[in-house]
Amino acid sequence: MGMLSLVTGWPGPSGFGSASTSEQVTEGIDASKLTAIVTGGASGIGLETARVLALRGAHIIIAARNMEAASNAKAQILEKIPKARVDTIKLDLSSLKSVRAFADEFLSMDLPLNLLINNAGIMFCPFQLSEDGIELQFATNYLGHFLLTNLLLEKMKSTAKSTGIEGRIVNLSSIAHHHTYKKGICFEQLNDPTIYSDKKAYGQSKLASILHTKELSRRLREEGANITVNSVHPGLIMTNLMRHSLCFMSMYLNYTTSLLIWKLNLYLLTLLNFICVEMLKVFSYMCWKTVPQGAATTCFVATNPSLEGVTAEYFSDCNEEKTYVLARDEKLAKDLWEFSEKLVQSAQ
């Protein structure tokens, strides 16, 4: 799509673009036969995704760590859509025990499962380990979703088989997957505080999400399962999660500016840097999305009929985009899968 399309909102091949909203991309969609789990569905784009899917008739399961927030989210949806079908189940993705408990509770409800929206995440937090002893951003953004997906996969397969309706898994990633550690995934030093970078760790978790998408898609294709798996970049959105994005973008600008003008005198460097940063503030504001715009790509990939059979792809602004080269590394994807299996088994 390119930066011009991002700023202008011009639609791409799908007919939608960065300015499209979640309601616009799902207009005319009948989701009344679908059951969807939305992790992080109590706030931000997760709540908007849950609301719009409920508006289109889907039975929504809001999976959230904060059950008070989940109850409030359910009430908000029911206030606007009185006939909506919404349930809430506690899920703390940083805890593999909680992930297993969530899966057990959902499966005990004996509901079908058509859509799994792996939306929840954290961003740029200081170095911390989860209760399972795993770096927190990796644990929350990726590993919890990896386990959750595996625990629910048989239910999705059986639902797709019995209903004839294609199952869809949508993994929330980010353009930040470009900015990670040199080898992509720090298998041996995952929990090493001495190499930790909050931004690279975030990028690592989002790269892992895309690699998971690729490898799971490959496995499902091999067995002929009627389930697709795709990843999406929602964009820069005005939510608490994205409050550090301007700082993140400024870091790149400062770095690039320094490379270009490092030979100039200090006064000129300071002046140009100030001007560039101020320009960036204006430009980045133009790139911000509203929450309905931020949820649009998720809703599009989850429901649009034109994407039937489309799997292992990465979407931004409701159109397919090319990923960073490491995200296309099949060996890295397989290695990550095996590494992840060992991590979740060791935490049992």
Side-chain angles (χ1 to χ4, degrees):
M1 291 289 288
M3 190 59 69
L4 182 61
S5 296
L6 171 63
V7 175
T8 62
W10 288 341
S14 70
F16 301 109
S18 62
S20 300
T21 67
S22 47
E23 288 197 22
Q24 288 171 342
V25 303
T26 58
E27 187 174 357
I29 298 290
D30 179 8
S32 59
K33 296 181 180 179
L34 305 180
T35 300
I37 292 175
V38 182
T39 71
S43 63
I45 61 173
L47 173 55
E48 174 66 5
T49 299
R51 181 190 71 82
V52 171
L53 291 178
L55 179 66
R56 303 310 179 203
H59 182 178
I60 305 300
I61 311 297
I62 293 177
R65 181 177 56 183
N66 185 330
M67 290 307 291
E68 181 179 355
S71 296
N72 290 338
K74 177 180 178 178
Q76 288 180 45
I77 293 173
L78 290 174
E79 182 180 0
K80 296 177 181 178
I81 315 165
K83 294 183 179 180
R85 295 173 292 162
V86 184
D87 289 298
T88 62
I89 304 178
K90 183 176 178 61
L91 172 64
D92 180 353
L93 284 158
S94 70
S95 164
L96 297 179
K97 180 180 179 181
S98 176
V99 173
R100 292 188 175 96
F102 172 91
D104 287 343
E105 184 170 348
F106 173 76
L107 294 173
S108 72
M109 297 169 71
D110 198 27
L111 292 171
L113 181 57
N114 307 93
L115 304 176
L116 175 58
I117 314 295
N118 289 324
N119 165 84
I122 58 176
M123 184 178 183
F124 298 170
C125 61
F127 179 80
Q128 298 176 64
L129 295 179
S130 71
E131 68 176 46
D132 301 297
I134 301 165
E135 189 276 308
L136 193 61
Q137 293 192 83
F138 188 86
T140 305
N141 297 347
Y142 164 68
L143 193 65
H145 283 129
F146 172 84
L147 177 60
L148 178 67
T149 301
N150 282 355
L151 293 174
L152 299 177
L153 206 51
E154 289 305 316
K155 170 58 73 172
M156 292 197 74
K157 291 176 185 177
S158 63
T159 299
K161 187 174 182 179
S162 63
T163 63
I165 300 173
E166 178 184 81
R168 296 189 182 184
I169 299 169
V170 182
N171 289 331
L172 269 285
S173 183
S174 169
I175 195 173
H177 79 272
H178 287 255
H179 182 68
T180 182
Y181 298 103
K182 185 175 181 180
K183 294 182 179 180
I185 308 293
C186 292
F187 294 112
E188 301 301 325
Q189 294 178 286
L190 180 66
N191 303 324
D192 186 349
T194 65
I195 68 158
Y196 182 76
S197 159
D198 56 355
K199 296 172 182 63
K200 288 183 180 180
Y202 179 73
Q204 173 180 244
S205 71
K206 293 305 181 178
L207 172 63
S209 178
I210 299 177
L211 292 170
H212 175 222
T213 296
K214 299 286 188 181
E215 179 62 10
L216 180 56
S217 296
R218 184 188 69 79
R219 290 168 178 253
L220 290 172
R221 280 196 300 259
E222 281 189 354
E223 62 180 271
N226 189 22
I227 300 173
T228 63
V229 195
N230 292 291
S231 53
V232 304
H233 166 53
L236 299 179
I237 305 153
M238 296 178 185
T239 68
N240 288 335
L241 178 67
M242 299 300 289
R243 63 187 179 276
H244 301 300
S245 291
L246 180 58
C247 177
F248 186 46
M249 293 172 70
S250 296
M251 176 189 67
Y252 277 113
L253 181 69
N254 289 333
Y255 175 71
T256 304
T257 303
S258 296
L259 287 178
L260 291 174
I261 60 177
W262 66 276
K263 290 186 177 180
L264 297 178
N265 62 58
L266 181 60
Y267 172 78
L268 184 57
L269 173 63
T270 303
L271 178 62
L272 288 178
N273 190 58
F274 173 77
I275 293 172
C276 288
V277 169
E278 291 306 307
M279 290 176 63
L280 174 65
K281 289 179 181 179
V282 176
F283 183 69
S284 64
Y285 178 78
M286 295 170 67
C287 294
W288 284 109
K289 289 184 177 183
T290 64
V291 170
Q293 290 170 339
T297 304
T298 299
C299 292
F300 174 77
V301 174
T303 64
N304 198 277
S306 69
L307 298 184
E308 185 172 347
V310 175
T311 192
E313 298 297 340
Y314 172 75
F315 289 82
S316 178
D317 298 332
C318 300
N319 289 273
E320 289 184 30
E321 289 287 349
K322 192 174 182 179
T323 61
Y324 181 46
V325 62
L326 285 173
R328 304 192 295 274
D329 189 325
E330 294 182 3
K331 183 180 184 304
L332 185 60
K334 292 177 182 178
D335 290 345
L336 175 63
W337 186 283
E338 293 174 2
F339 179 72
S340 304
E341 286 186 325
K342 291 177 182 177
L343 282 180
V344 298
Q345 288 169 4
S346 66
Q348 288 182 334

